[in-house]
Amino acid sequence: MSTEPFRLIQPLVLAESMPRWAGQFPQFEAVVGYSELGHVFLAESGGEFAVLHPFTASAKSYGRFPSIEEFADTVLRDPDFAGYVLLPEHVAEVGALLGPLGDSQVYIPQPYPFLGGSMEPSTYAIGDVWTFLDLVAQMQGIESVPPETAARICRFSDEHFARALAEWEWIGLQDKQPVFASLFGDIFLGSDDGVWLLDIVQGTLACRWSSFDACEAALNDPEQGPLLLRTALASELVEAGVVPSSNQVYDFSHPPVLGGALEADNVEVLDFVVAVGTAGQIHNQARFIPAGAQVSIVADKPARRSGWRKLFGGK
């Protein structure tokens, strides 16, 4: 067993090493390590790091760091984090029973906690970390998402969604839970009725699918998917070097509701909360404008705030 209950590794492409998980956290591109209990450390090109908790199919971002080692020193070696997540004393008990781990190995509880396992030291076995992660995903119904779809959806924290949607209360969001967004800020929400789409460009909210399975099928459909996700426009922007970071989406500089064109020249990247919130203000005002009237709408852009991000996982 190593001197620390985690391993840092040379970055691996997330979509290649953990294909079932890549679609759940599309803003992250690389795997940079894992704990001896199977937690995974994720990173994106802008320096943001997160920890994936496979048994709960969720991840938590810890912000941006200049290097992997800085992330490890600040987060992984923090006593509170270690005591809550890495559980070094628990790992030591398991290691005393099973012996040290080899390369790419982790301690695995049998059965998994979400299947009723107790996580008592005597219930553990040693296994390959990548096989373990794939099996846990399968057991939780997480399927591989085609790369072209994964690259077109974004997941944000509860706080980010709440702040962004505060300007859309007028449209009727009660009992609807935001799950993910498109690169253009359109938000997919779940409810007892099915899956709803808030189109922030058109300013509409509609129940489009009976379930997330049906929604996923639509997004993967070669005809429906590109229309829902504005794939052609996104590809044009990527080719031009216009790419949003993990907290940004594409936004139309001149809103289409006020006559702006749905073209690449009219698109910029903007903070997700600001883009969605501003669109909500504009559409809220625009719905009272008589047809043909000449108007000038001013929207107050919400202030950006820092904070911890809990990323959605699962379907």
Side-chain angles (χ1 to χ4, degrees), residues 14-312:
L14 178 60
E16 296 176 358
S17 58
M18 297 168 53
R20 291 182 186 275
W21 294 99
Q24 306 302 306
F25 310 104
Q27 61 269 60
F28 293 97
E29 302 138 6
V31 179
V32 297
Y34 53 89
S35 80
E36 295 191 338
L37 295 178
H39 306 91
V40 181
F41 313 140
L42 307 176
E44 57 96 30
S45 58
E48 183 178 358
F49 289 84
V51 177
L52 166 64
H53 300 257
F55 291 141
T56 57
S58 63
K60 183 172 183 176
S61 172
Y62 289 86
R64 300 182 186 279
F65 297 89
S67 67
I68 297 174
E69 194 60 38
E70 186 72 20
F71 163 69
D73 286 341
T74 305
V75 177
L76 304 182
R77 296 187 177 101
D78 176 74
D80 291 335
F81 177 87
Y84 184 71
V85 177
L86 302 180
L87 305 177
E89 294 182 0
H90 183 67
V91 169
E93 290 185 58
V94 175
L97 294 173
L98 298 178
L101 296 171
D103 292 340
S104 299
Q105 290 186 328
V106 291
Y107 296 119
I108 304 170
Q110 307 282 351
Y112 300 145
F114 60 85
L115 296 178
S118 66
M119 294 185 67
E120 288 295 320
S122 61
T123 67
Y124 278 77
I126 292 177
D128 178 81
V129 63
W130 311 115
T131 302
F132 157 71
L133 291 166
D134 190 65
L135 288 173
V136 170
Q138 290 185 54
M139 294 294 288
Q140 297 187 90
I142 298 173
E143 300 294 337
S144 299
V145 176
E148 61 271 21
T149 298
R152 300 290 189 260
I153 63 175
C154 309
R155 298 180 189 272
F156 299 97
S157 69
D158 291 345
E159 179 191 359
H160 279 75
F161 275 121
R163 288 165 49 206
L165 292 173
E167 301 293 346
W168 288 90
E169 292 181 356
W170 56 271
I171 206 169
L173 297 176
Q174 298 84 356
D175 302 319
K176 300 174 183 65
Q177 174 65 43
V179 178
F180 60 90
S182 76
L183 274 178
F184 288 86
D186 299 321
I187 298 176
F188 296 76
L189 308 97
S191 76
D192 292 339
D193 302 324
V195 181
W196 296 69
L197 174 61
L198 173 63
D199 187 325
I200 71 166
V201 177
Q202 301 297 327
T204 59
L205 175 68
C207 187
R208 298 286 300 272
W209 304 278
S210 60
S211 66
F212 274 103
D213 285 341
C215 175
E216 182 179 344
L219 294 179
N220 291 331
D221 183 84
E223 294 184 1
Q224 297 182 64
L227 295 176
L228 290 165
L229 301 174
R230 298 187 175 89
T231 302
L233 183 54
S235 297
E236 184 180 351
L237 290 162
V238 170
E239 290 178 5
V242 182
V243 180
S245 68
S246 60
N247 284 331
Q248 295 178 321
V249 292
Y250 290 124
D251 186 66
F252 291 97
S253 303
H254 184 181
V257 68
L258 299 180
L262 290 165
E263 298 175 353
D265 289 343
N266 188 37
V267 175
E268 61 181 343
V269 293
L270 198 63
D271 179 271
F272 169 71
V273 172
V274 174
V276 175
T278 302
Q281 292 183 39
I282 291 173
H283 281 291
N284 190 22
Q285 297 180 53
R287 63 195 176 117
F288 297 110
I289 299 172
Q294 298 294 317
V295 298
S296 175
I297 293 179
V298 178
D300 297 325
K301 293 189 175 182
R304 298 182 63 177
R305 291 185 287 176
S306 59
W308 291 30
R309 301 171 56 211
K310 180 181 178 183
L311 309 173
F312 282 99

